[in-house]
Amino acid sequence: MKSLKVLILCRPPLRDAIESYIPALWIKEMRHQISISAYCMSMDRESSKPLIERYFDYGVEEIYLISDKQFAGADTFATSYTLYQAICNMELDFDLILADAVSTYGETGHIPAQIAAFLNIPFAINVAGIVLAENNIICKQIFRSYEENISLSYPCLLSLNSNVDTEFINRNCLTLFDIMAKHHKEIKIMNSEQLKISEKQCGMCCSHTIVVNAIKMNGKNKHKLIEESRDAISELNKLIKGVG
Amino acid sequence: MQNINTVLVIYDALINSKIDRENFFMTLCRINDACSKTYCSVNIELLVPESVIGALTEEYGELSADTICLFRTKLENQTLLDYGANIFSYCLENRPQYVFFPSSIIGRNLSAWLGAKMEAGVVADVIDLEYLNEDESFKYIRATAESELLARIKCNKKPEIVSIRGKRNQESNKRKPVFKNIDFGTNESGDKIQIMERRAYSIQNFSDNIVIGVGRGVSAFDFEIIKTFADMNKIPIMGSKPAIESKLLGRDKQIGQSGNFIHTDIYIAIGISGAPQHVVGILDCKKIIAINTDRNAPIHNYSDISILLSAHDVFSSLISV
């Protein structure tokens, strides 16, 4: 394999912090091993352009922003299905798809696994290590009680663990050279018509879950207030000894 | 024909470990709790590896379920994709209306994968559920990302596939299970995925009676004082998202919607404001002690004891006692 074609499925970054660009850091890491052409896809409002644009600094060749008011109200199923249709209808032919294990709404990790299911390709989750080989990719998956190394054949999808160490960040973060070499490319905004996605195949029409209402968390009505250091120490000592 | 009343609860690890068994059991407790509140008549069916059931019943007694399906396939030979495909084929054959997973990394990903395969509604990381007899359906409660509110969610399509955070309580054990053996024959991975090595972690055996949580209000200097106290008393330290982001602790120590849910007798929240994303992770603690100088911090609404003093004052005095 001379070059690897990689698609980053990026969640809309909440802020311009390095942790929001984990897949881009992995692209830089993998470039130490093999030649890579990277593309990026995100589904969000057009207003998220300035944050997604940062992926160009990491050497991504094209960024596709999937954005249309028809996509509004999509749950995770509808979001994954829309992204899947975008990948298929744009005939994007990739060896590897990288996604973040953490979604904007917490560590749900739904989108990558669903896209792998729709595309019917092998996948690895919570990946903390990647070694690229000619015909396969070796990944370290980490879970709560165990870790495993698995080998996957291409094409495949990896969802990346976001707990990267400082050494990894330092090795792969943007350099002045990267920023200066930035090509002033434009993000390509794709709407439902361009992607040939009908109203029934996206947004609320395609969602299988509904938010019925919002409720407030119940607090505790009574609590003991301590403002003296002596009382605090006595109370804490008593409690700790009590359960010890 | 669809079996309209079955809740299928699936074991969510490809290893036989105490921590995963506990997570599975606590998820079952949460489901039984929700069912017993409304006397709903769903059948609870468990899908568990045969190699795990012995340890599960030894640790927690007879599990409260109507059916326990044991599969004999060796876990060590299964990839996640194989496991998912076997669950998928079991669901196609048996048509459960609800498929519930413990909310672990594997549980959440498998539920998502299965949801796509079955074109089903999927809800992640549910912190509670309620069964409404009039609708004959569950509603699921989960935290929202940027609001102080919880969302109550329902699915408009069956099956409903959900990952659920567990609850530590004594199981009512009203149900007496019937055992059934099944075979998992699918080898979905083929030559696409191969397991090269699988290694179990040695889990630190912390006391689960008490946990200290640190937040944004704790400086690196004060953290060292708290750590000295925690080490002296063998108390694990965890934290809210700001403490993780400031690198005081590793991400595996995060409490809240994006991290761990804890179920301890005592939780000591130090310098934690009490954002809802954190609070959902501590709601099952029996006693919450908040140490925060800000008397308007929301954490005081959830605490049993509020100490309006600085962490530095309290803990430097405690270690010198």
Side-chain angles (χ1 to χ4, degrees), chain B residues 169-223:
Chain B
N169 64 347
Q170 287 297 314
E171 228 188 353
S172 49
N173 201 18
K174 285 177 187 161
R175 298 167 191 258
K176 299 282 173 200
V178 174
F179 287 84
K180 187 168 104 177
N181 289 318
I182 57 164
D183 283 315
F184 267 10
T186 309
N187 176 16
E188 179 79 6
S189 296
D191 54 3
K192 289 188 228 162
I193 306 181
Q194 275 161 5
I195 304 165
M196 301 171 74
E197 187 187 18
R198 186 173 285 166
R199 254 191 329 271
Y201 297 137
S202 54
I203 305 287
Q204 272 182 288
N205 202 11
F206 280 123
S207 152
D208 53 9
N209 290 332
I210 181 163
V211 162
I212 287 176
V214 295
R216 196 193 301 274
V218 173
S219 67
F221 180 72
D222 290 341
F223 180 75

Side-chain angles (χ1 to χ4, degrees), chain A residues 94-154:
Chain A
F94 291 98
D95 303 305
L96 179 63
I97 298 177
L98 293 181
D100 210 322
V102 185
S103 78
T104 310
Y105 304 105
E107 211 157 302
T108 53
H110 272 183
I111 306 285
Q114 294 207 317
I115 289 173
F118 288 132
L119 289 169
N120 210 17
I121 57 173
F123 67 106
I125 57 175
N126 218 29
V127 170
I130 301 172
V131 177
L132 298 165
E134 183 76 15
N135 299 313
N136 62 333
I137 182 163
I138 296 163
C139 300
K140 180 161 104 175
Q141 297 187 107
I142 54 171
F143 306 119
R144 192 159 69 157
S145 54
Y146 69 99
E147 63 182 43
E148 65 181 11
N149 291 332
I150 59 168
S151 155
L152 299 100
S153 62
Y154 299 112

Side-chain angles (χ1 to χ4, degrees), chain A residues 17-177:
Chain A
I18 197 130
E19 290 81 7
S20 303
Y21 299 94
I22 300 292
L25 297 180
W26 272 106
I27 290 285
K28 285 196 80 177
E29 178 80 1
M30 289 193 294
R31 282 197 168 120
H32 300 310
Q33 299 175 40
I34 203 163
S35 161
I36 283 174
S37 50
Y39 299 79
C40 181
M41 183 182 279
S42 186
M43 185 169 149
D44 201 8
R45 286 169 294 206
E46 287 191 32
S47 56
S48 66
K49 268 173 77 176
L51 288 175
I52 297 169
E53 215 164 39
R54 176 55 65 90
Y55 276 89
F56 281 134
D57 295 346
Y58 287 93
V60 165
E61 290 172 31
E62 302 272 5
I63 299 176
Y64 307 105
L65 180 60
I66 311 298
S67 189
D68 194 310
K69 61 181 178 191
Q70 276 197 22
F71 302 148
D75 68 356
T76 49
F77 180 90
T79 305
S80 310
Y81 193 57
T82 304
L83 286 166
Y84 156 71
Q85 289 177 96
I87 294 169
C88 293
N89 295 350
M90 288 167 74
E91 296 181 2
L92 302 173
D93 189 19
F94 291 98
D95 303 305
L96 179 63
I97 298 177
L98 293 181
D100 210 322
V102 185
S103 78
T104 310
Y105 304 105
E107 211 157 302
T108 53
H110 272 183
I111 306 285
Q114 294 207 317
I115 289 173
F118 288 132
L119 289 169
N120 210 17
I121 57 173
F123 67 106
I125 57 175
N126 218 29
V127 170
I130 301 172
V131 177
L132 298 165
E134 183 76 15
N135 299 313
N136 62 333
I137 182 163
I138 296 163
C139 300
K140 180 161 104 175
Q141 297 187 107
I142 54 171
F143 306 119
R144 192 159 69 157
S145 54
Y146 69 99
E147 63 182 43
E148 65 181 11
N149 291 332
I150 59 168
S151 155
L152 299 100
S153 62
Y154 299 112
C156 58
L157 182 148
L158 313 181
S159 85
L160 304 165
N161 175 273
S162 54
N163 195 15
V164 290
D165 59 32
T166 315
E167 197 189 321
F168 177 88
I169 291 173
N170 290 343
R171 199 165 59 232
N172 297 301
C173 66
L174 285 177
T175 61
L176 191 59
F177 177 78

Side-chain angles (χ1 to χ4, degrees), chain B residues 75-204:
Chain B
L75 282 179
E76 56 266 33
N77 297 338
Q78 297 258 305
T79 65
L80 269 184
L81 192 58
D82 291 335
Y83 196 51
N86 278 308
I87 294 165
F88 178 41
S89 87
Y90 183 85
C91 290
L92 283 183
E93 202 175 311
N94 295 279
R95 302 267 167 196
Q97 217 178 9
Y98 306 97
V99 183
F100 292 163
F101 290 84
S103 183
S104 61
I105 295 166
I106 293 180
R108 291 192 291 271
N109 277 277
L110 277 181
S111 62
W113 186 87
L114 189 64
K117 287 287 178 195
M118 301 193 79
E119 297 189 13
V122 183
V123 189
D125 236 358
V126 162
I127 62 165
D128 208 356
L129 65 165
E130 49 198 28
Y131 189 84
L132 301 179
N133 278 317
E134 57 272 30
D135 294 354
E136 291 189 339
S137 69
F138 281 101
K139 288 200 172 51
Y140 309 101
I141 296 164
R142 61 156 302 173
T144 53
E146 288 163 276
S147 125
E148 299 210 343
L149 300 168
L150 301 172
R152 187 182 270 126
I153 297 169
K154 72 170 188 178
C155 294
N156 57 13
K157 196 175 179 212
K158 297 284 188 295
E160 299 177 6
I161 301 177
V162 183
S163 55
I164 300 171
R165 296 276 183 167
K167 177 179 191 175
R168 179 168 295 183
N169 64 347
Q170 287 297 314
E171 228 188 353
S172 49
N173 201 18
K174 285 177 187 161
R175 298 167 191 258
K176 299 282 173 200
V178 174
F179 287 84
K180 187 168 104 177
N181 289 318
I182 57 164
D183 283 315
F184 267 10
T186 309
N187 176 16
E188 179 79 6
S189 296
D191 54 3
K192 289 188 228 162
I193 306 181
Q194 275 161 5
I195 304 165
M196 301 171 74
E197 187 187 18
R198 186 173 285 166
R199 254 191 329 271
Y201 297 137
S202 54
I203 305 287
Q204 272 182 288

Side-chain angles (χ1 to χ4, degrees), chain B residues 6-19:
Chain B
T6 300
V7 170
L8 181 65
V9 191
I10 295 169
Y11 182 76
D12 65 321
L14 295 175
I15 199 165
N16 186 1
S17 80
K18 189 172 186 329
I19 197 163

